[in-house]
Amino acid sequence: MEIAYIPSPSQGVLHLGPIPLRGYAFCIIIGVFVAVWLGNKRWIARGGRPGTVADIAVWAVPFGLVGGRLYHVITDYELYFSEGRDWVDAFKIWEGGLGIWGAIALGAVGAWIGCRRRGIPLPAWADALAPGVVFAQAIGRWGNWFNQELYGKETDLPWALKITSSTDGRVPGLYHPTFLYESLWCVGVGFLVIWADRRFKLGHGRAFALYVAAYCVGRFWIEYLRVDEAHHILGMRLNNWTAIVVFILAVVYLVLSARMRPGREEVVEPLAPGEGDGDGAADGGPVDLEKADGPESVDGDAESADAEAAAPDDSAESDEATADEAESAKKS
């Protein structure tokens, strides 16, 4: 007897006239806004300037979307290039299918380009973004709920997910809501990173590394519950092996970074010319004469110039008077 369950939406897209509004795309977009908003607040708190996070995100987000899609298509190529499949579907990102591993990897490349253009260190920017990124993942996982995908094994738990679609080999029934498990895990990881960052003053990329390591732990056990098709290596799903490798790399980075570069960056973003506290001379910016001398000084200079311009006329009159006196003296 079905006592309780999480219902699945009857469809993942609504049509506003000819415009399709897809739940999966909305989740991705909302997640990006949350990541940029929170990252901006954390960046400013670290001494950065407002707007820098968004400027770099313009590079990181497109690269991340491309990387996430590439990872998914490469690791699940049979969904798009096997017999009876249409390879054009590989470009339909709105139908689902983003691999977080590829998104982070290629997104980091885009972020590196943006950071280079602004002259700021990538690790510091990544530390500011870390909680926002994992919160964005938590929101993005609800896109899988809209698409009725990436669920786990069958279960009769009261929070089971009810799948109603039978397309692409799905079998209607009650399953573990792995999208919900991962979403909640990501929220927990986000708060963990925020707490650890405040408690230990993490810097030089260690907050981001902590996020990666903690996420991999959750992804490893959640991956075991999933029943969707996946490649296996030595009896384990490919994503399990990826989680192990990435976890080890993140932990090694944490340890080595703490030893080689303890503490946190004192300056995360250099001031642009003319943005110092002084009159601009100290940081190479132009000096504002009005601010340096004040309005009264400028007016005084103008009056002095007028006086100097008038001086030659007075001198000429004086010379004429002297000449007249000399002539009078001769006559007398």
mmCIF file of all heavy atoms in Angstrom, residues 101 216 220 224 236 238-250:
data_model
loop_
_atom_site.group_PDB
_atom_site.id
_atom_site.type_symbol
_atom_site.label_atom_id
_atom_site.label_comp_id
_atom_site.label_asym_id
_atom_site.label_seq_id
_atom_site.Cartn_x
_atom_site.Cartn_y
_atom_site.Cartn_z
ATOM 1 N N TRP A 101 31.680 16.853 -13.130
ATOM 2 C CA TRP A 101 33.141 16.786 -13.238
ATOM 3 C C TRP A 101 33.640 17.630 -14.413
ATOM 4 O O TRP A 101 34.620 18.374 -14.276
ATOM 5 C CB TRP A 101 33.593 15.333 -13.404
ATOM 6 C CG TRP A 101 32.908 14.384 -12.479
ATOM 7 C CD1 TRP A 101 32.018 13.403 -12.806
ATOM 8 C CD2 TRP A 101 33.042 14.324 -11.043
ATOM 9 N NE1 TRP A 101 31.596 12.735 -11.681
ATOM 10 C CE2 TRP A 101 32.216 13.271 -10.578
ATOM 11 C CE3 TRP A 101 33.793 15.046 -10.113
ATOM 12 C CZ2 TRP A 101 32.106 12.937 -9.241
ATOM 13 C CZ3 TRP A 101 33.689 14.714 -8.764
ATOM 14 C CH2 TRP A 101 32.857 13.672 -8.345
ATOM 15 N N CYS A 216 32.654 14.894 -3.123
ATOM 16 C CA CYS A 216 33.005 13.567 -3.638
ATOM 17 C C CYS A 216 32.572 12.462 -2.681
ATOM 18 O O CYS A 216 32.161 11.378 -3.124
ATOM 19 C CB CYS A 216 34.505 13.483 -3.881
ATOM 20 S SG CYS A 216 35.076 14.425 -5.314
ATOM 21 N N PHE A 220 29.916 9.623 -3.919
ATOM 22 C CA PHE A 220 30.320 8.221 -3.975
ATOM 23 C C PHE A 220 29.194 7.308 -3.508
ATOM 24 O O PHE A 220 28.855 6.327 -4.185
ATOM 25 C CB PHE A 220 31.563 8.009 -3.109
ATOM 26 C CG PHE A 220 32.117 6.616 -3.192
ATOM 27 C CD1 PHE A 220 32.984 6.261 -4.214
ATOM 28 C CD2 PHE A 220 31.756 5.643 -2.269
ATOM 29 C CE1 PHE A 220 33.494 4.970 -4.302
ATOM 30 C CE2 PHE A 220 32.264 4.352 -2.349
ATOM 31 C CZ PHE A 220 33.136 4.018 -3.368
ATOM 32 N N TYR A 224 25.969 4.781 -5.787
ATOM 33 C CA TYR A 224 25.657 3.369 -5.612
ATOM 34 C C TYR A 224 24.153 3.096 -5.676
ATOM 35 O O TYR A 224 23.737 1.973 -5.982
ATOM 36 C CB TYR A 224 26.202 2.874 -4.270
ATOM 37 C CG TYR A 224 27.539 2.211 -4.385
ATOM 38 C CD1 TYR A 224 28.659 2.780 -3.799
ATOM 39 C CD2 TYR A 224 27.705 1.020 -5.098
ATOM 40 C CE1 TYR A 224 29.904 2.173 -3.908
ATOM 41 C CE2 TYR A 224 28.939 0.408 -5.207
ATOM 42 C CZ TYR A 224 30.039 0.992 -4.612
ATOM 43 O OH TYR A 224 31.275 0.391 -4.734
ATOM 44 N N MET A 236 32.682 -1.164 -10.499
ATOM 45 C CA MET A 236 32.166 0.103 -9.987
ATOM 46 C C MET A 236 31.816 1.040 -11.132
ATOM 47 O O MET A 236 32.466 1.019 -12.185
ATOM 48 C CB MET A 236 33.178 0.783 -9.055
ATOM 49 C CG MET A 236 33.235 0.206 -7.657
ATOM 50 S SD MET A 236 33.917 1.374 -6.432
ATOM 51 C CE MET A 236 35.434 1.867 -7.197
ATOM 52 N N LEU A 238 31.628 4.372 -13.348
ATOM 53 C CA LEU A 238 32.686 5.306 -13.711
ATOM 54 C C LEU A 238 32.717 6.515 -12.782
ATOM 55 O O LEU A 238 33.795 6.976 -12.370
ATOM 56 C CB LEU A 238 32.489 5.766 -15.164
ATOM 57 C CG LEU A 238 33.451 6.839 -15.672
ATOM 58 C CD1 LEU A 238 34.892 6.361 -15.603
ATOM 59 C CD2 LEU A 238 33.074 7.270 -17.083
ATOM 60 N N ASN A 239 31.551 7.016 -12.429
ATOM 61 C CA ASN A 239 31.504 8.196 -11.562
ATOM 62 C C ASN A 239 32.039 7.902 -10.162
ATOM 63 O O ASN A 239 32.514 8.816 -9.476
ATOM 64 C CB ASN A 239 30.076 8.744 -11.480
ATOM 65 C CG ASN A 239 29.708 9.559 -12.704
ATOM 66 O OD1 ASN A 239 30.561 10.194 -13.320
ATOM 67 N ND2 ASN A 239 28.436 9.545 -13.065
ATOM 68 N N ASN A 240 31.953 6.647 -9.713
ATOM 69 C CA ASN A 240 32.553 6.293 -8.430
ATOM 70 C C ASN A 240 34.074 6.415 -8.487
ATOM 71 O O ASN A 240 34.707 6.940 -7.564
ATOM 72 C CB ASN A 240 32.165 4.878 -8.022
ATOM 73 C CG ASN A 240 30.767 4.801 -7.440
ATOM 74 O OD1 ASN A 240 29.902 4.100 -7.957
ATOM 75 N ND2 ASN A 240 30.533 5.512 -6.355
ATOM 76 N N TRP A 241 34.655 5.905 -9.576
ATOM 77 C CA TRP A 241 36.096 6.022 -9.738
ATOM 78 C C TRP A 241 36.519 7.490 -9.864
ATOM 79 O O TRP A 241 37.551 7.896 -9.305
ATOM 80 C CB TRP A 241 36.554 5.248 -10.962
ATOM 81 C CG TRP A 241 36.533 3.766 -10.774
ATOM 82 C CD1 TRP A 241 35.653 2.867 -11.306
ATOM 83 C CD2 TRP A 241 37.446 3.002 -9.968
ATOM 84 N NE1 TRP A 241 35.951 1.597 -10.892
ATOM 85 C CE2 TRP A 241 37.046 1.643 -10.066
ATOM 86 C CE3 TRP A 241 38.541 3.329 -9.184
ATOM 87 C CZ2 TRP A 241 37.720 0.630 -9.411
ATOM 88 C CZ3 TRP A 241 39.219 2.315 -8.518
ATOM 89 C CH2 TRP A 241 38.806 0.986 -8.633
ATOM 90 N N THR A 242 35.736 8.258 -10.588
ATOM 91 C CA THR A 242 36.043 9.685 -10.724
ATOM 92 C C THR A 242 36.012 10.382 -9.367
ATOM 93 O O THR A 242 36.886 11.200 -9.048
ATOM 94 C CB THR A 242 35.051 10.363 -11.688
ATOM 95 O OG1 THR A 242 35.041 9.672 -12.936
ATOM 96 C CG2 THR A 242 35.421 11.813 -11.919
ATOM 97 N N ALA A 243 34.996 10.031 -8.548
ATOM 98 C CA ALA A 243 34.885 10.633 -7.216
ATOM 99 C C ALA A 243 36.090 10.286 -6.351
ATOM 100 O O ALA A 243 36.604 11.132 -5.607
ATOM 101 C CB ALA A 243 33.592 10.175 -6.542
ATOM 102 N N ILE A 244 36.573 9.053 -6.452
ATOM 103 C CA ILE A 244 37.744 8.632 -5.661
ATOM 104 C C ILE A 244 38.982 9.425 -6.071
ATOM 105 O O ILE A 244 39.713 9.958 -5.223
ATOM 106 C CB ILE A 244 37.993 7.126 -5.828
ATOM 107 C CG1 ILE A 244 36.866 6.320 -5.172
ATOM 108 C CG2 ILE A 244 39.331 6.728 -5.226
ATOM 109 C CD1 ILE A 244 36.948 4.825 -5.431
ATOM 110 N N VAL A 245 39.237 9.503 -7.378
ATOM 111 C CA VAL A 245 40.424 10.193 -7.877
ATOM 112 C C VAL A 245 40.384 11.679 -7.509
ATOM 113 O O VAL A 245 41.367 12.248 -7.009
ATOM 114 C CB VAL A 245 40.554 10.015 -9.401
ATOM 115 C CG1 VAL A 245 41.682 10.894 -9.955
ATOM 116 C CG2 VAL A 245 40.803 8.557 -9.745
ATOM 117 N N VAL A 246 39.242 12.324 -7.734
ATOM 118 C CA VAL A 246 39.124 13.754 -7.455
ATOM 119 C C VAL A 246 39.228 14.019 -5.950
ATOM 120 O O VAL A 246 39.827 15.019 -5.521
ATOM 121 C CB VAL A 246 37.798 14.303 -8.022
ATOM 122 C CG1 VAL A 246 37.598 15.758 -7.624
ATOM 123 C CG2 VAL A 246 37.779 14.175 -9.541
ATOM 124 N N PHE A 247 38.658 13.134 -5.132
ATOM 125 C CA PHE A 247 38.753 13.274 -3.678
ATOM 126 C C PHE A 247 40.219 13.249 -3.234
ATOM 127 O O PHE A 247 40.658 14.093 -2.430
ATOM 128 C CB PHE A 247 37.981 12.154 -2.984
ATOM 129 C CG PHE A 247 38.188 12.105 -1.495
ATOM 130 C CD1 PHE A 247 37.494 12.951 -0.662
ATOM 131 C CD2 PHE A 247 39.095 11.198 -0.945
ATOM 132 C CE1 PHE A 247 37.685 12.908 0.721
ATOM 133 C CE2 PHE A 247 39.297 11.152 0.427
ATOM 134 C CZ PHE A 247 38.588 12.011 1.265
ATOM 135 N N ILE A 248 40.990 12.289 -3.747
ATOM 136 C CA ILE A 248 42.406 12.187 -3.376
ATOM 137 C C ILE A 248 43.167 13.444 -3.792
ATOM 138 O O ILE A 248 43.962 14.005 -3.019
ATOM 139 C CB ILE A 248 43.039 10.935 -4.016
ATOM 140 C CG1 ILE A 248 42.420 9.669 -3.406
ATOM 141 C CG2 ILE A 248 44.552 10.936 -3.826
ATOM 142 C CD1 ILE A 248 42.870 8.386 -4.088
ATOM 143 N N LEU A 249 42.920 13.928 -5.003
ATOM 144 C CA LEU A 249 43.595 15.139 -5.480
ATOM 145 C C LEU A 249 43.250 16.342 -4.608
ATOM 146 O O LEU A 249 44.123 17.165 -4.285
ATOM 147 C CB LEU A 249 43.218 15.416 -6.935
ATOM 148 C CG LEU A 249 43.715 14.415 -7.979
ATOM 149 C CD1 LEU A 249 43.168 14.760 -9.356
ATOM 150 C CD2 LEU A 249 45.243 14.391 -8.009
ATOM 151 N N ALA A 250 41.981 16.461 -4.204
ATOM 152 C CA ALA A 250 41.558 17.593 -3.378
ATOM 153 C C ALA A 250 42.218 17.549 -1.999
ATOM 154 O O ALA A 250 42.668 18.571 -1.477
ATOM 155 C CB ALA A 250 40.036 17.610 -3.242
#
